[in-house]
Amino acid sequence: MTEETDDLRAARAMRRAMLGDAYVDRATSDPDPVAAEFQDYVTSMAWGVWTRGGALTTRDRSLLVMAMTAALGRMEEFRLHASSTAQTGVTDEELDELLFQIAAYCGVPAGISARREIQAMRADRAGG
């Protein structure tokens, strides 16, 4: 495990606030020291950028992450972030509009895949 710094603590807190304790606990439950170090690295890199300040809001960062994960075809990550929009301030209407941006700039297949993920996420949300 890496040394705990204020930046890492802030990144961990942001990750938990956005994705929830259950998800983070599952992701960090592997007792292997390399897995723990890797999780600290991922948290520091991916979530540290959310806590660094700057002109982007949490909502802005969320929209960007969803667009980038869709562009890369990382639909599991796209759905994870789409599922956390209640915490980021992204509305369902904005998520719907994002699909058009994804299709136009990342390609129709990426837009279709992202729409499927949003539909499945909303079905899960309505059912549970």
Side-chain angles (χ1 to χ4, degrees), residues 8-126:
L8 181 56
R9 275 191 288 282
R12 284 181 178 153
M14 178 63 77
R15 185 181 187 190
R16 285 187 178 279
M18 294 300 113
L19 303 180
D21 289 334
Y23 174 84
V24 175
D25 289 345
R26 278 191 309 276
T28 59
S29 66
D30 189 335
D32 177 36
V34 174
E37 183 179 2
F38 182 74
Q39 283 297 318
D40 283 349
Y41 175 78
V42 168
T43 301
S44 178
M45 294 299 295
W47 293 98
V49 74
W50 287 65
T51 61
R52 65 173 291 280
L56 297 177
T57 65
T58 299
R59 181 190 151 282
D60 297 336
R61 293 173 201 273
S62 175
L63 286 165
L64 285 166
V65 167
M66 287 185 286
M68 289 183 280
T69 54
L72 293 167
R74 303 299 196 261
M75 289 301 145
E76 183 178 319
E77 288 293 314
F78 174 87
R79 184 173 181 178
L80 174 65
H81 285 272
S83 297
S84 68
T85 55
Q87 291 82 359
T88 64
V90 174
T91 67
D92 279 352
E93 293 78 16
E94 290 169 326
L95 204 50
D96 291 339
E97 190 61 32
L98 182 62
L99 292 173
F100 290 91
Q101 295 293 119
I102 291 168
Y105 285 92
C106 305
V108 171
I112 290 170
S113 293
R115 185 168 187 280
R116 284 186 190 130
E117 293 300 325
I118 289 170
Q119 287 175 306
M121 181 236 5
R122 288 179 177 159
D124 289 349
R125 185 172 65 192

